[in-house]
Amino acid sequence: MNKMIKLDQFLKLVGIAATGGQAKLMIVDGEVKVNGTVETRRGKKLEPTDQVTVNGQIFKVGDVI
């Protein structure tokens, strides 16, 4: 079974965003990259092989979910 998580949920899970609203603003403002590309969809489904970058910090999705 393939685990997936939405981008805004992931940002809350790793502690980058305190709330869903904060996560949404960070995503819409272009502060979040998925696999090196700016991602503006908060509902983007992440897979364990994806990497999320915020303010120079890199998070491997598979290490978290």
Side-chain angles (χ1 to χ4, degrees):
M1 185 174 129
N2 201 3
K3 291 184 180 181
M4 297 182 91
I5 186 170
K6 289 183 184 176
L7 181 55
D8 58 349
Q9 294 172 332
F10 182 80
L11 294 178
K12 289 193 302 184
L13 184 65
V14 296
I16 289 292
T19 66
Q22 184 184 9
K24 177 185 174 185
L25 288 176
M26 294 174 75
I27 295 164
V28 170
D29 287 345
E31 298 177 28
V32 181
K33 291 182 180 180
V34 176
N35 300 325
T37 304
V38 173
E39 179 57 66
T40 57
R41 298 171 295 170
R42 66 181 181 160
K44 162 80 173 160
K45 290 191 183 346
L46 302 175
E47 298 187 23
T49 54
D50 290 332
Q51 284 189 345
V52 176
T53 307
V54 183
N55 298 328
Q57 283 187 286
I58 298 173
F59 300 91
K60 294 182 180 177
V61 176
D63 292 347
V64 179
I65 63 169

